[in-house]
Amino acid sequence: MVFVPNPCVGKAHGPKAYHYKDGQIASCIDYEDPDYVGEYWPNKMAPLITAAGLDHQDETYEEQLTQLICDHLGLPALDRDTITVDRDLMASYF
């Protein structure tokens, strides 16, 4: 699972999460529209996310969605203090 917190700072796109299986993207979750089931990068977790009934207006929504994804896949909870940031990639935005 790869979480991309700011995929496009300039265009203000929201976070995305990519679930890889056997080296291929199996699912793409767009935090701005997590219920969306896309054609190019399908969101196979959309039914799970819809069933959870998360409130998009809640200020902890992104954290709740991340926790839901981690719980579903059996991943450890994300710890803000241990998140890896690609500084070169961030610098390339500016």
Side-chain angles (χ1 to χ4, degrees):
M1 194 74 196
V2 175
F3 294 93
V4 182
N6 287 326
C8 184
V9 175
K11 294 181 182 176
H13 291 298
K16 292 191 180 344
Y18 299 93
H19 177 223
Y20 287 83
K21 186 173 183 177
D22 298 325
Q24 301 290 323
I25 293 177
S27 195
C28 174
I29 298 116
D30 183 343
Y31 277 57
E32 291 180 342
D33 191 10
D35 299 336
Y36 176 71
V37 179
E39 294 176 27
Y40 183 64
W41 285 344
N43 179 359
K44 295 179 182 177
M45 292 187 210
L48 169 78
I49 295 166
T50 301
L54 301 178
D55 180 5
H56 292 73
Q57 303 302 319
D58 189 307
E59 64 182 39
T60 63
Y61 164 74
E62 291 179 359
E63 291 176 21
Q64 291 176 30
L65 180 54
T66 301
Q67 188 62 50
L68 177 71
I69 294 166
C70 289
D71 290 348
H72 178 71
L73 296 174
L75 302 172
L78 290 180
D79 178 358
R80 289 181 185 267
D81 295 332
T82 60
I83 293 175
T84 302
V85 176
D86 186 332
R87 301 288 177 202
D88 292 333
L89 179 62
M90 292 296 292
S92 73
Y93 288 146
F94 305 104

